[in-house]
Amino acid sequence: MIKTDVLVVGAGPVGLFVVHQLGIIGLKAEVVDNLDKIGGQCIELYPDKPIYDIPALPVCTGESLTNSLLEQIKPFKPNFHLNERVQEVTQDNNDWKIVTSKNKVFIAPNIIIAGGVGSFEPRKFGIENAEKFENESIFYSVKNKNDFKNKKVCIFGGGDSALDWAIELSKFSKVVLVHRRNEFRGAEHSAEIAKKLEKEGKLKIKTPYQLNSIEGEKKINAITIKNEIGEIEKIETDYVLGFFGLIMKLGPIAEWGLNLEKKTIPVNTKDFQTNKKGIFAIGDICTYPGKLKLILSGFHEGALAARGCFKIARPNETYRFEYTTTSKTVQERLGVKESD
Amino acid sequence: MPKITYIEHNGKEHQVEVPNGFSVMEGAVQNNIPGIDADCGGACACATCHVYVDEKWFDKLPKKDISEEDMLDTAFEPNKSSRLTCQITVTDELNGLVVKMPSKQG
Ligand SMILES: Cc1cc2nc3c(=O)[nH]c(=O)nc-3n(C[C@H](O)[C@H](O)[C@H](O)COP(=O)(O)OP(=O)(O)OC[C@H]3O[C@@H](n4cnc5c(N)ncnc54)[C@H](O)[C@@H]3O)c2cc1C
Ligand code: FES
């Protein structure tokens, strides 16, 4: 069990900056994100694209913004818990008890939800009975490639993950790579390797095909795939892997008793608290009259939410407004001034 | 103003006027038409504004660019009449356009 002042849900730009705002007023934060990396949409959806509206930064990229934010919050040594979804939130006396998908437990008087449009989850097959085979015969990520050794594996998708795993697994498994069109969007180099392996008979490529049906009881025995003109082909296989990128799903956040408006959480604009005391929402996930889904708005929201957390985490102390330029206390926290 | 018809997966039709220059996605979102999520706000980064375009209209639309075609790989059950509505700009030529929503966006 980990005790902290504030549990931050989401390591997007807004979740990162709020760690700074909490840090300078002396509050400690732990950050949980379902992604395997830090940076939210900026890193998952547009790491190389330019951003032109971060105040005082004429231009940066999704990746460079994330790196700068990480640099800025370094003095506060936040702990990141990646690859973990915040699953349950329940009242625990005056605190909140937070449980993650890896059963890690946090106790904190405050939660700041900076969950964006939801947690990034793999996109799945649409076929009705696909869910039944999930984690048995159907996978959306590879944890241990040896699980697929000497097996028949069908890989769906046209991006880097699909190509890379098709190439890798073809070394010791019978692999069929299936994609909805003839062009692959993954790295050209990988697509060339895959095509070369196909010529050498080490890999089968089926395009333009999509999954049509799944056969089997507990485990899959075979699948059929279908092309645009309706031709159907049967493939015997042990495993099916799908790599269709990620989608943002609100997921468990909807079950914490918070008011919701479409897929967002209404907050008051005084301290960005939700309908539950001690639970705040900032960034893309919050809504209020005039809300703009911009990074700069999220930064402001975080500054106010952090002060809201202070009142709850330090009920016997009085919050003091201080500038980073002139406050000795703040500068000590930032590690830029030696304490006497 | 061009009229666009959005048909939900359950068959419910919504005909609305969408100003020139707006995207077909914005036309749906601003009129609160369900079935188009547009999680990324029109940045061609989420594929949750996916629709099927009536055959007779498909060829009249400006062609897909590579980024849209790439993004469609990740859409829910794409087929050859699939488009991302955030990538279609409304013009007078699109007056009468009909788009159909998939059963879900992801
Ligand atoms: C292509 C593109 C271009 C953009 N350009 C700009 C721009 O120029 N300027 C601008 O200001 N904005 C821009 N935006 C919008 C901007 O990226 C978002 O406003 C911003 O990322 C929101 O930050 P956030 O921290 O609130 O959420 P996100 O960045 O969405 O991060 C939320 C994180 O929370 C995690 N999460 C959610 N639920 C859970 C849970 N239950 N457990 C664990 N983790 C969870 C998610 O996995 C995710 O990593 C752009 C967006 C896109 C897609
Ligand atoms: S709105 Fe995200 S791709 Fe169109």
Side-chain angles (χ1 to χ4, degrees):
Chain A
M1 189 189 73
I2 303 171
K3 279 199 150 196
T4 185
D5 291 320
V6 183
L7 190 281
V8 178
V9 183
V14 176
L16 293 177
F17 189 67
V18 82
V19 170
H20 181 273
Q21 290 299 296
L22 292 164
I24 60 170
I25 59 174
L27 297 185
K28 179 84 187 121
E30 303 276 328
V31 186
V32 184
D33 201 299
N34 200 34
L35 272 182
D36 58 357
K37 44 191 173 299
I38 294 169
Q41 292 176 48
C42 296
I43 216 71
E44 184 56 40
L45 299 180
Y46 61 107
D48 306 321
K49 288 206 179 111
I51 310 174
Y52 299 103
D53 58 353
I54 304 299
L57 271 183
V59 60
C60 62
T61 63
E63 187 176 13
S64 73
L65 177 73
T66 304
N67 290 338
S68 303
L69 284 166
L70 275 173
E71 182 68 30
Q72 198 169 15
I73 63 175
K74 223 180 194 171
F76 308 113
K77 303 186 186 71
N79 289 323
F80 288 99
H81 308 265
L82 300 178
N83 276 316
E84 276 181 73
R85 196 186 314 104
V86 174
Q87 210 66 22
E88 289 166 33
V89 170
T90 46
Q91 192 104 38
D92 184 68
N93 298 319
N94 284 328
D95 288 324
W96 292 103
K97 180 181 170 201
I98 300 109
V99 186
T100 71
S101 49
K102 288 192 183 157
N103 285 322
K104 212 178 269 169
V105 178
F106 297 87
I107 299 286
N110 295 295
I111 300 172
I112 295 182
I113 305 174
V117 192
S119 65
F120 282 100
E121 312 275 339
R123 283 182 181 267
K124 302 184 172 176
F125 289 104
I127 307 271
E128 233 170 76
N129 61 347
E131 204 182 328
K132 178 174 119 182
F133 297 102
E134 211 177 307
N135 298 323
E136 188 68 50
S137 305
I138 297 185
F139 296 90
Y140 298 101
S141 66
V142 174
K143 293 222 167 68
N144 181 359
K145 63 180 181 186
N146 290 321
D147 295 347
F148 304 102
K149 213 166 190 161
N150 301 321
K151 300 279 185 191
K152 287 174 272 184
V153 185
C154 270
I155 299 181
F156 286 79
D160 284 321
S161 306
L163 286 167
D164 292 349
W165 281 118
I167 294 166
E168 182 62 29
L169 296 183
S170 71
K171 289 177 189 158
F172 51 59
S173 322
K174 232 177 128 202
V175 178
V176 185
L177 175 61
V178 189
H179 183 40
R180 63 173 270 266
R181 58 189 170 119
N182 297 325
E183 301 79 32
F184 288 91
R185 71 178 185 287
E188 218 169 284
H189 175 67
S190 313
E192 274 161 22
I193 297 182
K195 281 175 191 155
K196 189 168 152 264
L197 288 171
E198 188 191 23
K199 274 204 195 104
E200 294 165 359
K202 292 177 182 150
L203 170 71
K204 252 194 199 158
I205 299 180
K206 299 297 298 177
T207 58
Y209 279 91
Q210 294 191 68
L211 183 63
N212 179 60
S213 72
I214 305 173
E215 293 170 20
E217 278 304 314
K218 271 204 153 139
K219 293 186 172 188
I220 293 182
N221 323 321
I223 57 168
T224 63
I225 56 174
K226 191 170 160 183
N227 66 9
E228 299 268 286
I229 51 168
E231 290 170 335
I232 292 179
E233 222 173 280
K234 184 167 168 169
I235 306 176
E236 285 184 7
T237 192
D238 302 309
Y239 293 108
V240 173
L241 303 178
F243 298 105
F244 307 111
L246 301 177
I247 182 165
M248 298 177 268
K249 292 240 165 158
L250 192 56
I253 293 177
E255 285 144 36
W256 302 341
L258 301 169
N259 291 342
L260 291 177
E261 234 176 78
K262 286 190 179 164
K263 290 194 275 181
T264 55
I265 306 170
V267 290
N268 72 58
T269 48
K270 195 173 110 235
D271 57 6
F272 295 87
Q273 210 160 169
T274 64
N275 59 313
K276 299 260 179 200
K277 185 169 173 236
I279 304 189
F280 300 78
I282 58 175
D284 278 10
I285 199 143
C286 77
T287 187
Y288 51 87
K291 166 67 186 170
L292 290 176
K293 284 194 181 182
L294 286 177
I295 295 166
L296 78 89
S297 316
F299 289 168
H300 161 79
E301 292 153 10
L304 269 63
R307 273 66 181 185
C309 290
F310 184 91
K311 286 190 193 135
I312 296 173
R314 305 276 186 271
N316 304 320
E317 293 175 33
T318 312
Y319 166 72
R320 291 177 65 203
F321 176 83
E322 293 175 298
Y323 287 126
T324 57
T325 318
T326 44
S327 160
K328 220 171 131 212
T329 331
V330 172
Q331 291 181 357
E332 268 165 23
R333 286 174 184 144
L334 282 164
V336 291
K337 192 163 201 117
E338 299 290 307
S339 42
D340 349 69
Chain B
M1 245 191 266
K3 282 198 177 71
I4 311 243
T5 303
Y6 301 84
I7 307 181
E8 286 183 59
H9 191 70
N10 63 16
K12 193 164 172 213
E13 290 191 16
H14 306 257
Q15 194 186 63
V16 294
E17 292 189 332
V18 184
N20 280 336
F22 278 63
S23 70
V24 175
M25 177 277 279
E26 289 171 292
V29 170
Q30 292 183 356
N31 289 290
N32 289 317
I33 298 171
I36 290 183
D37 293 348
D39 284 346
C40 77
C44 198
C46 71
T48 65
C49 62
H50 169 215
V51 296
Y52 307 113
V53 177
D54 243 37
E55 219 164 282
K56 71 175 205 288
W57 272 104
F58 194 84
D59 296 330
K60 291 190 201 160
L61 296 178
K63 294 275 163 294
K64 285 178 263 194
D65 66 11
I66 298 173
S67 65
E68 182 181 346
E69 191 64 83
D70 282 354
M71 207 60 228
L72 273 171
D73 281 351
T74 69
F76 186 77
E77 301 192 332
N79 67 25
K80 61 177 189 300
S81 62
S82 288
R83 289 294 307 251
L84 294 179
T85 47
C86 71
Q87 300 303 302
I88 309 172
T89 306
V90 174
T91 56
D92 286 335
E93 285 72 51
L94 299 194
N95 186 25
L97 173 69
V98 179
V99 300
K100 290 194 179 115
M101 267 71 120
S103 61
K104 54 181 184 167
Q105 291 289 356

